[in-house]
Amino acid sequence: GHIKGCIHSPSLKFLDGGIEDVREKTKDTPTVVFHCFLSQIRGPKAARIYAESTDEVRQRGGDAPIPQEVYVLRGGFTEFQTFFKDDEDLVEDYDPVYWSREVDTF
């Protein structure tokens, strides 16, 4: 599953053009929230890089988004799905089998 309205930008591609893609897609969005599985490493790092690079673009007079608040989703998607997995207004394509602790992995 995923959070409705989110932009998926894998961390491996984020520095390889992904950051510009996210910046373009969120240029008119006043709040940008980053997350990963637990929001302990990748999500916070992406948020920091996004905020710093956007500030640099703005200082150089480049095409930066409107002023934005940049946040990290506390607890990541793991905690989010625990509380909101059944809320169809917030989550789509949720697969309970994927999140079950009883699923065998091969």
Side-chain angles (χ1 to χ4, degrees), residues 49-101:
I49 292 169
Y50 177 85
E52 290 175 355
S53 65
T54 300
D55 286 344
E56 289 174 14
V57 169
R58 191 173 284 113
Q59 289 172 3
R60 290 192 315 257
D63 188 23
I66 63 170
Q68 298 172 316
E69 295 288 330
V70 178
Y71 296 101
V72 176
L73 181 64
R74 182 181 297 168
F77 187 76
T78 303
E79 189 171 317
F80 183 88
Q81 67 87 25
T82 298
F83 293 106
F84 301 108
K85 66 183 177 225
D86 297 323
D87 189 333
E88 294 179 2
D89 291 333
L90 298 176
V91 177
E92 55 191 4
D93 299 327
Y94 181 79
D95 184 352
V97 173
Y98 179 81
W99 292 94
S100 171
R101 295 183 189 267

